[in-house]
Amino acid sequence: MAKGRIVKALSGFYYVQTEDDTLYACKGRGVFRNKKITPLVGDLVTFDIISEDEGYITTVSERKNELVRPPIVNVDKALIVSSITEPKFSAQLLDRFLVVVESKGIEPMLVLSKKDLATEKEIETIERYKAQYEKIGYKVVYFSLEEPVDSTLLQFLKEDITVIMGQTGVGKSTILNAIEPSFQIETGEISKSLGRGRHTTRHVELHEINGGLVADTPGFSSIDFAHIEAEQLGDYFIDIKEQAKYCRFRSCLHLNEPQCQVKKAVEEKIIFKERYKHYKLFLQEILSRKPRY
């Protein structure tokens, strides 16, 4: 009986890495199918060794969190990559990613990519956003192919499991290649007509970088809140959560309730108006979804 972590899942095999860095191509026992358990990248597992590089997974340890897109578990940190240009920066999409990682107890860092391609006006606009998110309490760094990788970013990747996530075409694989050139992860050019990159990352895999494990994940341009209830949403906007403690009603949704501290904080510019607008948009999305039975 051996222990390890699944670092790649491909063509029905789960590649399990042990503490001494040995890699075993494993299959799952039939018991998983009966219990409807699918082993995922990031899982800590026990397995029976059947040859020098093959095995059968016997148990999957309890998970601390799970992402559906991409399918990965036990994530500690997230690099959320937003491009300044090509595709154009979207604060709403960034807030969507932030809500999801906050809801999973994942520590985020924001990476503003393609600085080398941005115009002066675009840099001016992004500087304002950078200051706003830093004021909220997030770590924010730039990425440019013309500059060395920010040391804060490298430090962030030490130990732990980090997902690198963002819209297709923002340069996630480019960032990984810049940090670790030996990867040579395939990157896609931006389609001029669609304004987004070709889908180049085809499966989830954990790469060793700077003492940690990093997952390069397939890009996607939409993200939903199927696992979040209306009453929980405010907890995942950390600036709203801070002010909500002072609302008159504990169940306040910060819409039309009296003595709502969140709305007051928006008026007093303690909470950024655009963030509150996104909160209301996401809340409406959650409230209008069909009930689940």
Side-chain angles (χ1 to χ4, degrees):
M1 190 77 72
K3 291 182 178 180
R5 186 187 297 278
I6 297 174
V7 293
K8 181 168 70 168
L10 199 61
S11 306
F13 282 94
Y14 304 101
Y15 293 84
V16 180
Q17 191 168 25
T18 57
E19 270 192 0
D20 64 1
D21 287 342
T22 308
L23 202 63
Y24 292 87
C26 296
K27 286 277 192 182
R29 288 277 188 210
V31 68
F32 292 123
R33 282 193 295 277
N34 300 339
K35 291 181 180 176
K36 294 185 177 174
I37 295 171
T38 304
L40 294 170
V41 170
D43 264 325
L44 291 167
V45 298
T46 56
F47 63 101
D48 290 329
I49 296 170
I50 56 172
S51 74
E52 62 177 34
D53 60 358
E54 291 180 315
Y56 271 105
I57 293 171
T58 51
T59 62
V60 174
S61 297
E62 191 178 342
R63 298 160 175 168
K64 72 174 186 180
N65 57 31
E66 180 178 340
L67 293 175
V68 178
R69 287 189 305 177
I72 186 170
V73 299
N74 299 323
V75 177
D76 303 292
K77 297 173 179 173
L79 278 184
I80 303 175
V81 184
S82 298
S83 54
I84 303 168
T85 187
E86 294 182 28
K88 192 181 173 188
F89 175 76
S90 166
Q92 187 202 126
L93 191 56
L94 174 54
D95 282 340
R96 281 180 177 272
F97 280 114
L98 281 170
V99 165
V100 170
V101 300
E102 292 286 356
S103 74
K104 301 289 183 179
I106 297 168
E107 180 193 351
M109 175 184 269
L110 315 184
V111 183
L112 302 170
S113 66
K114 305 195 181 182
K115 191 183 173 191
D116 46 315
L117 302 179
T119 63
E120 275 183 39
K121 192 177 178 184
E122 285 170 329
I123 296 282
E124 207 176 289
T125 302
I126 213 70
E127 276 288 331
R128 288 199 296 275
Y129 278 111
K130 183 173 184 284
Q132 283 181 10
Y133 283 98
E134 285 173 335
K135 191 177 177 185
I136 291 166
Y138 290 116
K139 296 171 184 167
V140 190
V141 297
Y142 282 118
F143 175 79
S144 164
L145 281 173
E146 294 174 354
E147 295 167 16
V149 178
D150 193 295
S151 60
T152 319
L153 194 160
L154 294 174
Q155 191 62 33
F156 186 76
L157 299 177
K158 283 201 167 177
E159 303 165 346
D160 303 323
I161 292 182
T162 304
V163 292
I164 180 164
M165 58 204 307
Q167 184 183 6
T168 302
V170 293
K172 300 184 299 296
S173 298
T174 304
I175 290 169
L176 282 186
N177 286 337
I179 296 167
E180 188 53 72
S182 61
F183 284 151
Q184 291 301 306
I185 297 167
E186 185 186 346
T187 57
E189 292 172 12
I190 298 293
S191 156
K192 291 293 178 194
S193 58
L194 297 173
R196 58 178 186 254
R198 291 202 305 271
H199 192 93
T200 51
T201 308
R202 292 178 184 85
H203 64 277
V204 182
E205 183 173 352
L206 290 172
H207 305 280
E208 286 188 36
I209 295 185
N210 220 39
L213 292 170
V214 179
D216 182 22
T217 57
F220 44 90
S221 55
S222 65
I223 192 165
D224 61 44
F225 309 120
H227 62 293
I228 297 172
E229 298 303 326
E231 298 75 22
Q232 300 171 314
L233 181 64
D235 289 341
Y236 308 136
F237 279 79
I238 58 172
D239 40 353
I240 288 176
K241 183 184 180 182
E242 178 59 32
Q243 296 298 320
K245 292 184 288 191
Y246 308 107
C247 287
R248 181 180 174 185
F249 300 106
R250 282 186 67 183
S251 59
C252 187
L253 288 179
H254 323 303
L255 293 176
N256 306 309
E257 299 90 339
Q259 296 177 40
C260 171
Q261 176 60 30
V262 168
K263 288 197 296 182
K264 189 180 173 193
V266 174
E267 285 165 22
E268 293 173 355
K269 299 185 178 175
I270 296 166
I271 292 173
F272 297 106
K273 196 179 272 187
E274 192 174 9
R275 282 270 290 177
Y276 178 60
K277 181 181 156 192
H278 294 159
Y279 165 79
K280 289 196 295 181
L281 183 75
F282 302 165
L283 184 64
Q284 200 48 55
E285 212 172 286
I286 292 167
L287 291 170
S288 62
R289 74 184 172 208
K290 292 187 175 79
R292 288 172 289 172
Y293 299 102

